[in-house]
Amino acid sequence: MRRTTSPFSLILLGLGTFLLVLAPLLAWYVQPRAAVNPIDIDTTAVYTGRGSVFDTDRIETVPDRKITVTQRVRGNVEDSERSGNAVWDVTTTVDTDKSLPAADPHDALDFVPHRWVMDRKTTRPVHCCGEKPYIEGEAYLKFPFDVQKRSYQWWDNTLGDTVVLRYRGTEKVQGYTGYKFTGSVPPTRTGTRMVPGSLVDQPQRPQVLAEEWYSNHGFELVVDQATGRVIYAQTGPKRTLRAPGGKKDAAVLLDSRKLSFTTETQKEAVRQAKRDSGQLRMVGTTLPIGAGVAGVLLAVAGGVLVARGRKEPEQPAPSDTPSTPQPTLTM
């Protein structure tokens, strides 16, 4: 008796071997290449809160006004493809109910356009493609992929420098758990502005090159661990004017202890975080584990079938010459 190998057992063995090779490729090759920042992004985040603002009509600071900050991020696909980086154009507007709705963002209380260029994999800033200002740090608008439980250098565009954000545990936003980071900014001089002397307690001078100062009562960010997407943001900006060389604030331009994501912005951020992190988890964990387990089972089953084979009776070997009786020798 001899054994033969069936085509089915060979198919099982081959498929199992293929899945065993595919599993580590998904985890170590495909998943890292899927974790890249998009170049065609188009998203809007809205913060709201209350605080004091400078009324240019009344030439004075008015308290307890509703403040709305709108941050629009659009990817420049052409510049991104040309450079190989993610090129995002960002506009930030600050409004009160007086300037909303605005047909032109330039009518806002404050309007700041800028461009952020980053490495698509690491989220580190790249200095090219008309970047403005010169952004530094580890994160801005979003964190890197695979967020760690440590402090990060976060770019504060109003400060024009980085701020240390420290890890503070986990927190749920709209039922979704993220990593929480907090930080603050002490009063810091950020520039100068020509204003009437009366604004900075120097009424005898028609124009004064006043000092602009900025501080932040506190940042609070909740971040999706897998993608680095910010699902909740809170900030407390304070911008003031001081007389040249002054030691105290003479006028308040903006002061709010809490401006935070609206509920709609939170829900949309969580929806996108769930979608993107789910895709990364599928490619990096679910599919590799499934492929590995299936590969082992199929390879073992195929190997067993190959080893056992199918028994068939052996056929007698054919003779080259026909059998004839031998003659008898007689005397």
Side-chain angles (χ1 to χ4, degrees):
M1 302 292 286
R2 64 186 181 90
R3 298 179 184 274
T4 60
T5 301
S6 70
F8 179 68
S9 62
L10 293 176
I11 292 173
L12 287 182
L13 183 60
L15 183 58
T17 303
F18 169 76
L19 291 176
L20 288 174
V21 174
L22 178 64
L25 283 178
L26 287 171
W28 300 332
Y29 184 84
V30 177
Q31 195 272 346
R33 285 159 177 77
V36 294
N37 292 301
I39 62 175
D40 58 349
I41 187 173
D42 188 348
T43 184
T44 301
V46 180
Y47 302 68
T48 58
R50 304 195 72 85
S52 301
V53 297
F54 188 81
D55 190 318
T56 55
D57 292 333
R58 297 167 57 177
I59 317 299
E60 64 179 359
T61 301
V62 292
D64 196 29
R65 292 294 188 268
K66 182 180 178 181
I67 301 171
T68 301
V69 177
T70 305
Q71 193 171 64
R72 181 77 179 269
V73 182
R74 283 181 170 179
N76 189 306
V77 177
E78 183 178 353
D79 286 354
S80 297
E81 291 179 341
R82 185 184 301 114
S83 67
N85 302 299
V87 181
W88 291 2
D89 291 319
V90 187
T91 57
T92 303
T93 57
V94 181
D95 289 280
T96 63
D97 287 342
K98 183 179 178 180
S99 59
L100 283 177
D104 187 340
H106 293 83
D107 297 333
L109 186 67
D110 194 20
F111 170 74
V112 181
H114 54 288
R115 169 170 282 196
W116 181 33
V117 185
M118 72 181 121
D119 184 281
R120 296 190 65 191
K121 295 180 180 178
T122 67
T123 315
R124 289 275 187 172
V126 178
H127 308 298
C128 75
C129 316
E131 172 212 26
K132 185 179 181 180
Y134 190 92
I135 295 175
E136 299 179 291
E138 299 174 280
Y140 174 50
L141 302 181
K142 74 176 294 293
F143 278 62
F145 292 93
D146 190 23
V147 181
Q148 304 298 304
K149 298 177 179 180
R150 63 172 179 85
S151 297
Y152 281 84
Q153 294 285 337
W154 175 267
W155 176 260
D156 183 340
N157 203 55
T158 305
L159 178 64
D161 203 349
T162 58
V163 179
V164 177
L165 296 185
R166 293 178 171 81
Y167 174 73
R168 301 297 187 187
T170 60
E171 187 166 306
K172 285 191 174 183
V173 176
Q174 303 295 325
Y176 188 77
T177 302
Y179 284 4
K180 180 180 177 180
F181 296 85
T182 63
S184 61
V185 179
T188 306
R189 178 179 170 177
T190 57
T192 58
R193 179 185 297 193
M194 190 67 72
V195 300
S198 58
L199 284 183
V200 290
D201 302 326
Q202 295 187 359
Q204 72 281 4
R205 301 176 63 183
Q207 295 289 318
V208 174
L209 191 62
E211 298 176 357
E212 292 189 63
W213 285 70
Y214 165 75
S215 62
N216 200 296
H217 299 292
F219 293 98
E220 181 180 317
L221 302 178
V222 182
V223 183
D224 176 45
Q225 189 276 330
T227 64
R229 179 182 293 277
V230 177
I231 58 176
Y232 175 81
Q234 176 182 313
T235 182
K238 182 177 182 181
R239 296 171 55 196
T240 62
L241 294 176
R242 295 185 184 183
K247 300 299 182 183
K248 63 179 182 178
D249 297 330
V252 174
L253 302 177
L254 173 68
D255 187 10
S256 176
R257 286 195 166 272
K258 181 181 178 180
L259 298 173
S260 59
F261 272 5
T262 62
T263 301
E264 292 75 15
T265 297
Q266 294 176 39
K267 289 181 177 180
E268 177 61 17
V270 168
R271 184 191 69 79
Q272 294 184 22
K274 285 182 177 179
R275 179 199 64 193
D276 296 345
S277 62
Q279 292 174 350
L280 290 178
R281 185 167 55 252
M282 178 178 294
V283 175
T285 303
T286 305
L287 288 180
I289 291 177
V293 172
V296 169
L297 295 177
L298 292 175
V300 170
V304 170
L305 291 177
V306 168
R308 293 176 61 184
R310 184 175 66 227
K311 294 181 180 180
E312 292 184 354
E314 294 186 4
Q315 299 296 326
S319 176
D320 293 336
T321 58
S323 177
T324 57
Q326 297 295 322
T328 303
L329 179 64
T330 57
M331 295 296 295

